[in-house]
Amino acid sequence: MTSTDTRTPTASAPATGPGTGTSFWSATRLVAEREIRSFLRMKSWWIGFATLVVGLFATALLPSLFGDGGDDGDDGRPGVAVVGIDPPPGLEAAADDIRILEVDDPAGAGHLLADGEVRAIVTPDDTDGSDPDGSDPGVHVLAASEPPLVILDALGSLPPVEIIESPDDAGEGERALVTIVFGLLFLMFGMGGIAIAQSTVTEKQTRIVEILVSTVPVRALLAGKIAGHSLLTIGQVLALAVLAPVALRLGGHTDLLSVLAPAVGWFVPFMLLGFVLLAAMWAVAGSVVSRQEDLGSSTSLVMLFVMLPYFAVVFFGDNAGVLAVLSYVPFSAPVGMPVRLFTGDAQVWEALVSLGVLVAALVVIVLLASRVYSGALLQTRGRIGLAQAWGRADDRPSGDRA
């Protein structure tokens, strides 16, 4: 999430430009470096990134530290449901550490396991022939997604263990959590792109833009701003992607990590391409106004494109049909498709098609934004309409004065 830069930019522009043989790509690189250095010197940028990291670890750790304990009960002890037999001696000996629930109805025990009230169900194992006289029948253990090691250790033996749910299946709670987390990340990074608009309008208001375009092509100025902020976002997203497994392991969510990792791997490229698309729109929103006071009116549409997909994915996350459609819409695909991959509702080929649609939309939006930006950047007298900006853009090299 890029931070808002409201400071007046310095007049230190690259000393070379189209007139002195600077190529488009060289100028783009210089502008991108200028944007990156400017934000890396800002305390607010680092505070914003630190807040994201703290939020990530808090989301992973707080439920296990201060929650109701899930299947560990209010006292923090893991629960086990015993059906059809007396509690085995090993469990009774560990009663201080394990919460034992004697249940008569196997269906009731199944509900306790499904609701997370217990970690396992212990039932008699009629196939165990270790004690033919039946005085000490063997037991059979049922678990939801992974062997309950603490309970197996208390039993003092290795009874048959049956996993009744695949560890790769995401529950409703996990699905909702992943949807909200992905959505919030895209929302925060997408809204952070407003710094591009504010930087652009500040340069227009202080007339520094006239110095910049005398040495740097206008389209290179746009490309450099997008590239600089996109690189900052790449760094933040990759850092969060690396730290997420660490946070999940510390929070004891190793089962969630195994199914979340592939979705995170897809979320990163979707998120970055989505940010570039929005960055081009933020730049145009800043170029069509000449004062910070007018920025709200030009950025409202971009905010709509950022917020509506987020709310749509969150509200319709449990509707497979609607989510399937949203996973192909360029503005909502960065959240919708990774969520579908997480839940197993989408195949790899679907993700590739969605990624292709997003890339095609990105190319079109950037090309349109480039022309509007070129026609509006040097208009410093009030707000200019999109159609008027489009008409003012000509076919001359974009570094030339209009």
Side-chain angles (χ1 to χ4, degrees):
M1 179 179 62
T2 53
S3 302
T4 300
D5 185 4
T6 58
R7 302 175 302 170
T8 300
T10 62
S12 57
T16 57
T20 57
T22 300
S23 69
F24 172 85
W25 297 112
S26 295
T28 299
R29 177 179 60 81
L30 291 172
V31 174
E33 291 176 352
R34 173 179 176 269
E35 292 291 319
I36 293 173
R37 284 196 301 267
S38 173
F39 277 84
L40 289 181
R41 287 195 296 263
M42 296 172 59
K43 291 182 180 180
S44 59
W45 188 90
W46 289 103
I47 291 174
F49 178 61
T51 301
L52 288 177
V53 174
V54 171
L56 171 65
F57 279 87
T59 302
L61 296 176
L62 290 182
S64 59
L65 292 177
F66 301 107
D68 61 4
D71 57 16
D72 291 347
D74 293 334
D75 56 6
R77 293 181 299 165
V80 58
V82 180
V83 182
I85 57 173
D86 293 330
L91 288 181
E92 289 187 324
D96 291 339
D97 301 317
I98 297 176
R99 183 168 47 90
I100 303 173
L101 286 76
E102 296 187 51
V103 183
D104 296 329
D105 182 12
H111 287 303
L112 291 175
L113 183 63
D115 294 339
E117 294 295 327
V118 297
R119 290 192 183 184
I121 301 173
V122 175
T123 63
D125 183 14
D126 297 332
T127 64
D128 192 319
S130 59
D131 194 350
D133 62 8
S135 60
D136 186 16
V139 297
H140 185 85
V141 178
L142 293 88
S145 60
E146 60 183 8
L149 299 181
V150 63
I151 295 171
L152 296 179
D153 184 61
L155 290 171
S157 61
L158 188 59
V161 179
E162 180 181 352
I163 304 298
I164 62 176
E165 294 180 6
S166 170
D168 292 335
D169 292 337
E172 290 299 322
E174 293 174 346
R175 178 189 183 122
L177 176 63
V178 170
T179 301
I180 292 174
V181 169
F182 282 176
L184 281 176
L185 285 175
F186 184 71
L187 179 65
M188 288 188 293
F189 281 112
M191 291 299 293
I194 196 173
I196 301 175
Q198 292 179 324
S199 172
T200 300
V201 74
T202 299
E203 290 170 352
K204 290 185 65 174
Q205 190 170 0
T206 56
R207 311 302 288 264
I208 290 178
V209 67
E210 299 178 8
I211 302 175
L212 292 174
V213 298
S214 67
T215 56
V216 175
V218 174
R219 288 184 171 86
L221 185 60
L222 171 64
K225 284 183 176 293
I226 294 176
H229 287 268
S230 298
L231 288 174
L232 288 171
T233 301
I234 288 174
Q236 290 177 301
V237 171
L238 291 181
L240 292 176
V242 170
L243 292 174
V246 178
L248 290 173
R249 286 194 178 94
L250 291 176
H253 307 294
T254 54
D255 53 341
L256 178 60
L257 176 61
S258 63
V259 293
L260 183 59
V264 171
W266 281 104
F267 176 70
V268 171
F270 270 99
M271 165 67 214
L272 297 177
L273 290 173
F275 177 82
V276 174
L277 185 150
L278 292 172
M281 299 176 65
W282 284 118
V284 169
S287 69
V288 296
V289 296
S290 303
R291 300 184 307 162
Q292 291 285 348
E293 294 82 358
D294 300 328
L295 194 57
S297 61
S298 67
T299 57
S300 57
L301 181 61
V302 188
M303 290 182 181
L304 198 63
F305 279 111
V306 177
M307 299 181 69
L308 278 184
Y310 163 73
F311 287 112
V313 171
V314 171
F315 290 153
F316 296 101
D318 56 351
N319 188 316
V322 175
L323 192 61
V325 173
L326 293 174
S327 66
Y328 290 98
V329 177
F331 295 98
S332 56
V335 179
M337 185 56 74
V339 169
R340 292 186 65 215
L341 290 167
F342 170 73
T343 58
D345 295 331
Q347 303 297 320
V348 172
W349 69 266
E350 295 182 78
L352 294 176
V353 171
S354 177
L355 207 59
V357 173
L358 179 56
V359 170
L362 169 63
V363 172
V364 172
I365 292 295
V366 169
L367 290 176
L368 295 176
S370 175
R371 181 174 179 89
V372 175
Y373 187 87
S374 299
L377 189 62
L378 290 176
Q379 308 305 315
T380 58
R381 295 181 180 178
R383 179 175 178 177
I384 181 173
L386 295 178
Q388 186 179 5
W390 181 272
R392 287 178 180 270
D394 51 40
D395 296 329
R396 290 178 298 168
S398 56
D400 296 345
R401 296 291 298 272

